Short mmCIF file of all heavy atoms in Angstrom, two decimals:
data_model
loop_
_atom_site.label_atom_id
_atom_site.label_comp_id
_atom_site.label_asym_id
_atom_site.label_seq_id
_atom_site.Cartn_x
_atom_site.Cartn_y
_atom_site.Cartn_z
N PHE A 523 112.71 53.64 212.16
CA PHE A 523 113.88 54.37 211.67
C PHE A 523 113.46 55.63 210.90
O PHE A 523 114.09 56.68 211.02
CB PHE A 523 114.72 53.46 210.77
CG PHE A 523 115.91 54.14 210.16
CD1 PHE A 523 116.93 54.64 210.95
CD2 PHE A 523 116.00 54.30 208.78
CE1 PHE A 523 118.03 55.27 210.39
CE2 PHE A 523 117.09 54.93 208.21
CZ PHE A 523 118.11 55.42 209.01
N VAL A 527 114.81 60.16 210.97
CA VAL A 527 115.51 60.85 209.88
C VAL A 527 114.52 61.56 208.97
O VAL A 527 113.35 61.17 208.87
CB VAL A 527 116.34 59.86 209.03
CG1 VAL A 527 117.48 59.27 209.81
CG2 VAL A 527 115.46 58.75 208.44
N GLU A 528 115.01 62.61 208.33
CA GLU A 528 114.30 63.21 207.21
C GLU A 528 114.74 62.47 205.96
O GLU A 528 115.94 62.36 205.69
CB GLU A 528 114.63 64.69 207.09
CG GLU A 528 113.99 65.36 205.88
CD GLU A 528 114.54 66.75 205.64
OE1 GLU A 528 115.35 67.24 206.46
OE2 GLU A 528 114.16 67.37 204.61
N ILE A 529 113.80 61.94 205.19
CA ILE A 529 114.12 61.17 203.99
C ILE A 529 113.97 62.08 202.77
O ILE A 529 112.90 62.64 202.53
CB ILE A 529 113.21 59.94 203.85
CG1 ILE A 529 113.32 59.05 205.09
CG2 ILE A 529 113.56 59.15 202.59
CD1 ILE A 529 112.35 57.89 205.12
N ILE A 530 115.04 62.23 202.01
CA ILE A 530 115.07 63.15 200.87
C ILE A 530 115.23 62.35 199.59
O ILE A 530 116.10 61.47 199.49
CB ILE A 530 116.25 64.13 201.02
CG1 ILE A 530 116.18 64.86 202.37
CG2 ILE A 530 116.28 65.13 199.86
CD1 ILE A 530 117.46 65.57 202.75
N LEU A 583 122.15 68.56 198.62
CA LEU A 583 122.26 68.04 199.98
C LEU A 583 123.39 68.72 200.72
O LEU A 583 124.44 69.01 200.15
CB LEU A 583 122.51 66.53 199.94
CG LEU A 583 121.50 65.70 199.16
CD1 LEU A 583 121.96 64.25 199.09
CD2 LEU A 583 120.11 65.78 199.79
N GLY A 586 127.43 66.22 205.36
CA GLY A 586 127.05 65.38 206.49
C GLY A 586 125.77 64.60 206.29
O GLY A 586 125.42 63.76 207.13
N THR A 587 125.07 64.83 205.18
CA THR A 587 123.89 64.03 204.86
C THR A 587 124.33 62.63 204.46
O THR A 587 125.31 62.45 203.74
CB THR A 587 123.10 64.66 203.70
OG1 THR A 587 122.74 66.00 204.04
CG2 THR A 587 121.84 63.86 203.39
N THR A 588 123.63 61.62 204.94
CA THR A 588 123.90 60.25 204.52
C THR A 588 123.15 59.97 203.23
O THR A 588 121.97 60.28 203.10
CB THR A 588 123.45 59.24 205.59
OG1 THR A 588 124.28 59.39 206.75
CG2 THR A 588 123.58 57.81 205.10
N ILE A 589 123.85 59.39 202.24
CA ILE A 589 123.21 58.95 201.00
C ILE A 589 123.21 57.44 200.98
O ILE A 589 124.20 56.79 201.32
CB ILE A 589 123.96 59.46 199.75
CG1 ILE A 589 123.89 60.98 199.65
CG2 ILE A 589 123.37 58.83 198.49
CD1 ILE A 589 124.61 61.54 198.42
N ILE A 590 122.09 56.85 200.58
CA ILE A 590 121.99 55.40 200.43
C ILE A 590 121.40 55.08 199.06
O ILE A 590 120.42 55.71 198.64
CB ILE A 590 121.13 54.78 201.55
CG1 ILE A 590 120.98 53.27 201.34
CG2 ILE A 590 119.78 55.44 201.68
CD1 ILE A 590 120.31 52.55 202.48
N LEU A 601 128.69 59.53 203.11
CA LEU A 601 128.40 60.83 203.71
C LEU A 601 128.74 61.91 202.71
O LEU A 601 129.80 61.87 202.07
CB LEU A 601 129.24 61.03 204.98
CG LEU A 601 128.68 60.54 206.31
CD1 LEU A 601 129.69 60.77 207.42
CD2 LEU A 601 127.37 61.23 206.65
N MET A 608 121.74 64.28 193.92
CA MET A 608 121.81 62.84 193.67
C MET A 608 120.67 62.42 192.76
O MET A 608 119.69 63.16 192.58
CB MET A 608 121.72 62.06 194.99
CG MET A 608 120.41 62.26 195.72
SD MET A 608 120.34 61.42 197.31
CE MET A 608 118.69 61.94 197.86
N TYR A 613 118.39 57.78 198.31
CA TYR A 613 117.75 58.61 199.33
C TYR A 613 118.83 59.35 200.10
O TYR A 613 119.92 58.82 200.36
CB TYR A 613 116.95 57.76 200.32
CG TYR A 613 115.69 57.14 199.77
CD1 TYR A 613 115.52 55.77 199.78
CD2 TYR A 613 114.67 57.94 199.26
CE1 TYR A 613 114.35 55.18 199.30
CE2 TYR A 613 113.50 57.37 198.78
CZ TYR A 613 113.35 55.99 198.79
OH TYR A 613 112.20 55.43 198.30
N GLY A 614 118.53 60.58 200.48
CA GLY A 614 119.34 61.30 201.44
C GLY A 614 118.69 61.20 202.80
O GLY A 614 117.46 61.28 202.92
N LEU A 615 119.49 60.99 203.84
CA LEU A 615 118.97 60.83 205.20
C LEU A 615 119.63 61.84 206.12
O LEU A 615 120.86 61.88 206.24
CB LEU A 615 119.24 59.41 205.71
CG LEU A 615 118.76 58.25 204.83
CD1 LEU A 615 119.22 56.92 205.41
CD2 LEU A 615 117.23 58.27 204.70
N LYS A 616 118.82 62.67 206.77
CA LYS A 616 119.31 63.65 207.73
C LYS A 616 118.65 63.38 209.08
O LYS A 616 117.42 63.33 209.18
CB LYS A 616 119.00 65.08 207.27
CG LYS A 616 119.70 65.48 205.99
CD LYS A 616 119.36 66.90 205.59
CE LYS A 616 119.98 67.90 206.53
NZ LYS A 616 119.82 69.30 206.06
N GLY A 617 119.47 63.19 210.11
CA GLY A 617 118.93 62.90 211.43
C GLY A 617 118.05 64.02 211.95
O GLY A 617 118.28 65.20 211.66
N LYS A 623 124.62 63.45 212.72
CA LYS A 623 125.12 62.95 211.43
C LYS A 623 125.83 61.62 211.57
O LYS A 623 125.62 60.69 210.77
CB LYS A 623 126.07 63.99 210.82
CG LYS A 623 125.41 65.32 210.51
CD LYS A 623 126.44 66.37 210.10
CE LYS A 623 125.78 67.73 209.86
NZ LYS A 623 126.77 68.78 209.54
N THR A 626 123.39 58.77 212.49
CA THR A 626 122.57 58.43 211.32
C THR A 626 123.36 57.57 210.34
O THR A 626 122.86 56.55 209.84
CB THR A 626 122.08 59.71 210.62
OG1 THR A 626 121.25 60.45 211.51
CG2 THR A 626 121.30 59.39 209.35
N TYR A 627 124.60 57.96 210.06
CA TYR A 627 125.42 57.23 209.10
C TYR A 627 125.66 55.79 209.56
O TYR A 627 125.42 54.83 208.82
CB TYR A 627 126.74 57.94 208.89
CG TYR A 627 127.73 57.17 208.05
CD1 TYR A 627 127.59 57.08 206.67
CD2 TYR A 627 128.80 56.51 208.66
CE1 TYR A 627 128.49 56.34 205.91
CE2 TYR A 627 129.70 55.77 207.90
CZ TYR A 627 129.55 55.71 206.53
OH TYR A 627 130.43 54.98 205.78
N THR A 630 122.52 53.63 209.71
CA THR A 630 122.10 53.22 208.36
C THR A 630 122.95 52.06 207.88
O THR A 630 122.43 51.08 207.31
CB THR A 630 122.21 54.40 207.39
OG1 THR A 630 121.44 55.50 207.87
CG2 THR A 630 121.71 54.01 206.00
N LEU A 654 112.09 51.68 205.03
CA LEU A 654 112.69 52.44 206.12
C LEU A 654 111.70 52.64 207.27
O LEU A 654 112.10 52.67 208.43
CB LEU A 654 113.19 53.79 205.60
CG LEU A 654 114.24 53.72 204.47
CD1 LEU A 654 114.62 55.11 204.00
CD2 LEU A 654 115.48 52.96 204.94
#
Side-chain angles (χ1 to χ4, degrees):
F523 177 64
V527 294
E528 176 191 355
I529 303 174
I530 305 165
L583 304 174
T587 303
T588 293
I589 295 181
I590 177 172
L601 272 177
M608 63 183 178
Y613 289 121
L615 306 175
K616 296 181 70 173
K623 298 172 183 177
T626 297
Y627 172 76
T630 304
L654 301 178

